[in-house]
Each structure stands twice: as structure tokens, then as C-alpha cells.
């Protein structure tokens, strides 16, 4: 009799536990679909960066959030070491028509805080992500796209160059060197930035020889 009671108690506990787990899963799914922004914040606070990136991208894709949602998705992917996520969400961030105004506002807000302006930082980070996942040409073209008429001392291209040097990738370093040499020959870079461009070319020349 005692054994039967014990089995009944255990069975009841298991059923109750499974019911609680089931309700938690249902609640999680409902919250995920109806409030991705809340889930993005929750998972971010818990250090679940991959999940936070996904929820942030849902909020952005659904058109319910602002450009900050896709920015957060990119940044969380970076924290998670998910370079494919950085490339994907970063591309969407850059492609958003609000990006130039948003980046300008960030640059004004953070003036003097970083060595690079925010636009260059984002393009550099996304370009490096493309490089890390094997999309080297895409990474180079992306970083060059915002440095054809100006070439600050620190910019998206120099971020990519630093990554390539750290990786010891002399072959691709040679490809970047060719592109920068062509850029110099095109004479489209502002005169005050030619010294910076020449310095980058010199560094690559030393690295690849």
C-alpha cells in the first residue's frame, strides 16, 4: 500500500513538473512571437548573446522596432563570436536608409571618444566579419566603399588591414595593396588624406615582401 502511494506521489509530481515545463515553453513561444524586444533585453541581460541577436533581428524585421534593433543584433553577434551574424545583420544595418543619419548622430554624441568615426567602425567591423567567414573580396569592397574620397588615419580599410596582418595573410594583403595602389593612381582621395593612404600602402608593402 505504501509503495503504491509512493508511486502515485511520484507520478503526480512528474505530471505536474511536465505541465509546468510545458506551460513555460508555451509562454516562451508566445512571448517570443509577441514581444521579441522584451526577449532581446532578457536574453541580453542573461548573457545569451546569440539568442538576443535573433530576437533583435525579429523585432527589426517585423517593422516594430527602430534601427537600434538591427544594431543590437550585429553587436550581440559580435559578442557571441558569430561572424556570420555580424556580416548578415551588419549588412542590413548599413543598408537601412536611416543609417547615415543615425551614424552621424552617434558620431556627434561620441565625438572624441573613439579614434574612428562610427561609420568607419561599423563598416570595418562588418568588413572584418566578411573576411573571417571567407568572403574576403566582399570585405575589401565594403571597407573601400566609404574610403574612396577620404582616407583618415584610422578607418574601415585599416581595420581590415590590421586583421589581415594579424592573420599573417600575405596573399590577401597583396590584393589590398593592389586596390590601394589603384586608389592612389585614381587620385580621388582628398589631398590632406594622401599621407594616410601612402602610410597604409607602405605598411602593406613591408608586410607582403
Amino acid at each position: 500500500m505504501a509503495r503504491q502511494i509512493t508511486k502515485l506521489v511520484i507520478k503526480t509530481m512528474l505530471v505536474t513538473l511536465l505541465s509546468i515545463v510545458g506551460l513555460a515553453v508555451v509562454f516562451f513561444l508566445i512571448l517570443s512571437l509577441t514581444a521579441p524586444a522584451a526577449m532581446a533585453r532578457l536574453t541580453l541581460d542573461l548573457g545569451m548573446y546569440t539568442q538576443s541577436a535573433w530576437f533583435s533581428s525579429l523585432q527589426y524585421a517585423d517593422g516594430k522596432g527602430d534601427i537600434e534593433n538591427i544594431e543590437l543584433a550585429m553587436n550581440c553577434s559580435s559578442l557571441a563570436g558569430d561572424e556570420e551574424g555580424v556580416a548578415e545583420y551588419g549588412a542590413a544595418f548599413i543598408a537601412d536608409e536611416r543609417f547615415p543619419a543615425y551614424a552621424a548622430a552617434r558620431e556627434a554624441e561620441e565625438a572624441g571618444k573613439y579614434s574612428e568615426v562610427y561609420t568607419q567602425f561599423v563598416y570595418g567591423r562588418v568588413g572584418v566579419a566578411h573576411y573571417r567567414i571567407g568572403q574576403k573580396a566582399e570585405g575589401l569592397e565594403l571597407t573601400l566603399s566609404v574610403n574612396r574620397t577620404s582616407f583618415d588615419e584610422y578607418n574601415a580599410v585599416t581595420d581590415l588591414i590590421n586583421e589581415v596582418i594579424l592573420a599573417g595573410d600575405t596573399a590577401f594583403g597583396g590584393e589590398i595593396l593592389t586596390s590601394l595602389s589603384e586608389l592612389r593612381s585614381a587620385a580621388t582621395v582628398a589631398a590632406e588624406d594622401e599621407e594616410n593612404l601612402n602610410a597604409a600602402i607602405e605598411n602593406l608593402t613591408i608586410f607582403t615582401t
Side-chain angles (χ1 to χ4, degrees):
M1 183 69 177
R3 181 176 297 177
Q4 291 179 337
I5 293 175
T6 301
K7 288 182 178 179
L8 179 62
V9 170
I10 293 174
K11 183 178 180 180
T12 302
M13 289 176 62
L14 288 174
V15 170
T16 302
L17 179 61
L18 289 174
S19 298
I20 292 173
V21 171
L23 287 173
V25 170
V26 171
F27 176 75
F28 181 83
L29 291 174
I30 292 174
L31 192 59
S32 299
L33 295 173
T34 60
M39 291 302 297
R41 289 193 298 270
L42 175 62
T43 49
L44 176 62
D45 290 340
L46 293 174
M48 300 167 65
Y49 300 123
T50 299
Q51 291 77 11
S52 183
W54 185 72
F55 285 120
S56 297
S57 69
L58 279 184
Q59 179 75 0
Y60 178 78
D62 289 344
K64 298 175 182 177
D66 298 320
I67 192 171
E68 288 89 344
N69 296 128
I70 199 66
E71 177 191 30
L72 180 60
M74 179 191 74
N75 289 336
C76 284
S77 294
S78 182
L79 289 170
D82 177 11
E83 297 300 319
E84 290 187 358
V86 175
E88 177 185 353
Y89 300 136
F93 184 32
I94 290 169
D96 192 302
E97 62 182 11
R98 297 167 292 179
F99 177 77
Y102 180 76
R106 286 289 301 270
E107 289 161 11
E109 177 185 338
E110 300 171 356
K113 187 175 180 181
Y114 302 109
S115 59
E116 300 174 85
V117 295
Y118 189 67
T119 299
Q120 294 293 333
F121 166 76
V122 173
Y123 273 78
R125 182 63 188 89
V126 179
V128 166
H130 278 292
Y131 173 80
R132 289 176 176 173
I133 62 176
Q135 298 173 350
K136 298 181 180 183
E138 290 87 343
L140 176 56
E141 178 56 34
L142 183 68
T143 57
L144 279 173
S145 68
V146 286
N147 288 287
R148 296 192 186 280
T149 58
S150 62
F151 204 92
D152 294 333
E153 183 177 1
Y154 299 102
N155 59 59
V157 177
T158 59
D159 280 348
L160 181 59
I161 290 172
N162 290 336
E163 177 71 18
V164 169
I165 290 175
L166 285 174
D169 189 350
T170 55
F172 191 62
E175 293 184 33
I176 300 176
L177 176 59
T178 298
S179 294
L180 293 187
S181 298
E182 292 173 352
L183 180 61
R184 180 168 60 183
S185 298
T188 57
V189 172
E192 61 268 23
D193 292 334
E194 288 178 359
E195 183 178 349
N196 299 328
L197 176 58
N198 290 333
I201 290 173
E202 182 180 354
N203 288 338
L204 281 170
T205 300
I206 295 171
F207 171 63
T208 56
T209 55

